[in-house]
Amino acid sequence: MTQTPRGVRSGPWRSGRSFVVAALAGALVGLVGGGFRWCLLHADALRASVLEVADGLGPAGRLLPVVLTAVGAAVACAIAQRVPHAAGSGIQHVEAVWRQEAEARVAWLLPAKFLGGLIAIGSGLVLGREGPIVHMGATIGSAAGRRGRLDTEDARMLHTALGGAGLAVAFTAPLGGLLFVCEEVTGTVRPRLVLLTLVGTVTAVAGSRIVVGDALVLPLAAVPAPPLWMLPVFLLSGVTAGALGAAYSTLVVGTLRVCDRLTRIPLVARAAVIGAGVGALMSFDPLLTGGGDQLSERLLAGGGLTVAALVLCLAVRCVAGPLSYAAATPGGLFAPLLALGALWGTLTHALAAPLLPAGSASAAAFAVVGMAAVFTGVVRAPLTGAVLVVEMTGAGALLLPLLIACFAATVTADRLGSEPIYDTLRRRMSERA
């Protein structure tokens, strides 16, 4: 039996230096991720100003958002093509590094993700900020592991842990970042990995608060806990959300495969065409495009959309999201999924309300549950989805409906034969390498 040498710690506390490196690198992730969010907020404001100017120009002004998004998509695609793994979410690359299927060292990845993601998302493509921030966080973790002269295993853990810290920064959700690492990226709970992630996440969120503050991402007025007899209703809501999630995953992968066959069209030209289409939608209604935070916030506040408007917005974003991802620019899937879930939950409430007693559950409660359930149907990480949405909205009273809906969404998507989206994207990345 091998004994640990005297003076050398074993177990999760074997090296204090790794935790110091994780803390320092986490603070840097917070500043970089917070800076990215700050820049996106100003990009959204600039885009809104451009749309106001376009409205004042009459019919000809509708071309302005078309040109803006087409150019933005083309430039972001051109940036991503110069750096391996810069296109797309990047989460699949983080998972591949954990599984030792890919290398973590990618030169220029951080600036390419920052600048390309800012241009792509800022120009209005239906993409999420979390993908670039997670990937940038993991890249910072990898660089910190090398400079801190950590051993190979700790360096790999730090790469993964700070990817989770990036997710925490993207949504101001520290527990969501930890669960993301354990449930989605690694599928395991290791004490040392948990501790490294906790340290990196705490300092990352603290660092981001210096830049973007500590307000909830999607503030929600106080929502009472629904009565227990409503739980079967939320279970059925989760079933439908799981089916929607499975369909959305199929659309994302199918759109990528169709675009792969268009070999005669240069990637940058393809991105410009997709951007032009998204820009045309933006000129019609800005809520149809972008990451979706403004749409989700409106729905959570009881935005008053009609059933027809909900169906139209849901259908358009179900198509615009996969198309935007196929533009091969930096950008994630999470934020658009949350907006899609808020739409689905609000629509479910509108259809079910005539059958339910008055005051049994609000549209906002169904929107919150829909966010987590659709996310789970696509990503297949129920705990991450439930906790992430609670941290974003502050809706702790809805935890039971969230958990039962996420359970139902997971089972439904599995029974429909839908593979978790990042498993599919990681395999696709390996095949194209």
Side-chain angles (χ1 to χ4, degrees):
M1 179 175 171
T2 304
Q3 294 183 346
T4 303
R6 182 175 296 178
V8 178
R9 291 180 180 267
S10 62
W13 297 101
R14 64 180 180 270
S15 171
R17 182 172 61 181
S18 296
F19 296 107
V20 174
V21 173
L24 295 175
L28 181 57
V29 171
L31 294 174
V32 171
F36 187 73
R37 284 181 57 183
W38 184 89
C39 290
L40 282 178
L41 288 173
H42 286 74
D44 288 344
L46 179 60
R47 190 171 71 248
S49 299
V50 170
L51 291 175
E52 288 182 7
V53 171
D55 287 340
L57 297 177
R62 291 185 177 274
L63 292 175
L64 192 56
V66 174
V67 173
L68 169 70
T69 313
V71 172
V75 171
C77 179
I79 292 172
Q81 296 313 305
R82 295 180 176 273
V83 180
H85 306 299
S89 168
I91 291 175
Q92 63 269 30
H93 182 241
V94 176
E95 294 185 3
V97 171
W98 171 258
R99 289 165 173 77
Q100 302 182 45
E101 299 170 359
E103 293 292 331
R105 298 185 183 185
V106 181
W108 297 101
L109 183 58
L110 194 151
K113 277 288 186 179
F114 193 107
L115 184 59
L118 176 61
I119 294 172
I121 302 169
S123 65
L125 291 179
V126 185
L127 297 169
R129 63 184 176 272
E130 78 294 326
I133 300 179
V134 167
H135 212 179
M136 288 189 290
T139 302
I140 291 172
S142 176
R146 293 196 304 272
R147 292 184 177 275
R149 298 181 180 179
L150 303 185
D151 61 49
T152 303
E153 182 64 11
D154 270 9
R156 186 167 67 102
M157 284 189 182
L158 191 62
H159 175 270
T160 302
L162 292 192
L167 184 75
V169 168
F171 296 120
T172 316
L175 286 178
L178 173 61
L179 286 173
F180 170 73
V181 166
C182 296
E183 186 179 32
E184 169 59 27
V185 179
T186 68
T188 185
V189 179
R190 298 187 184 183
R192 187 167 181 79
L193 177 63
V194 169
L195 291 172
L196 285 171
T197 305
L198 280 175
V199 171
T201 297
V202 167
T203 57
V205 173
S208 69
R209 286 181 174 179
I210 298 173
V211 184
V212 294
D214 58 357
L216 295 173
V217 173
L218 295 173
L220 177 68
V223 176
L228 290 178
W229 65 262
M230 281 286 294
L231 291 182
V233 177
F234 287 110
L235 180 72
L236 291 175
S237 175
V239 170
T240 61
L244 176 63
Y248 191 80
S249 295
T250 301
L251 280 172
V252 170
V253 176
T255 304
L256 290 171
R257 288 173 179 167
V258 169
C259 289
D260 286 344
R261 298 191 189 102
L262 304 176
T263 55
R264 295 185 179 182
I265 303 176
L267 284 175
V268 173
R270 186 180 74 193
V273 171
I274 292 173
V278 174
L281 293 173
M282 189 191 308
S283 67
F284 179 75
D285 188 342
L287 290 180
L288 297 175
T289 61
D293 277 6
Q294 293 178 350
L295 175 60
S296 297
E297 191 169 350
R298 178 173 174 178
L299 293 171
L300 292 177
L305 295 180
T306 64
V307 170
L310 290 169
V311 171
L312 175 63
C313 198
L314 183 72
V316 169
R317 291 187 70 91
C318 273
V319 175
L323 276 175
S324 295
Y325 196 79
T329 67
L333 295 168
F334 280 21
L337 278 179
L338 295 173
L340 207 65
L343 282 166
W344 185 254
T346 305
L347 179 60
T348 301
H349 176 268
L351 297 176
L355 305 176
L356 299 174
S360 54
S362 65
F366 273 85
V368 170
V369 171
M371 290 168 66
V374 172
F375 169 90
T376 300
V378 176
V379 181
R380 220 60 52 76
L383 290 178
T384 302
V387 171
L388 186 69
V389 169
V390 167
E391 289 187 291
M392 291 176 68
T393 62
L398 299 176
L399 190 56
L400 277 180
L402 281 165
L403 289 174
I404 196 168
C406 288
F407 162 78
T410 300
V411 173
T412 301
D414 281 340
R415 295 295 295 174
L416 290 173
S418 175
E419 187 179 28
I421 188 66
Y422 289 112
D423 288 354
T424 305
L425 294 176
R426 188 183 70 250
R427 187 172 60 252
R428 182 176 183 274
M429 181 190 73
S430 300
E431 291 170 353
R432 294 167 60 87

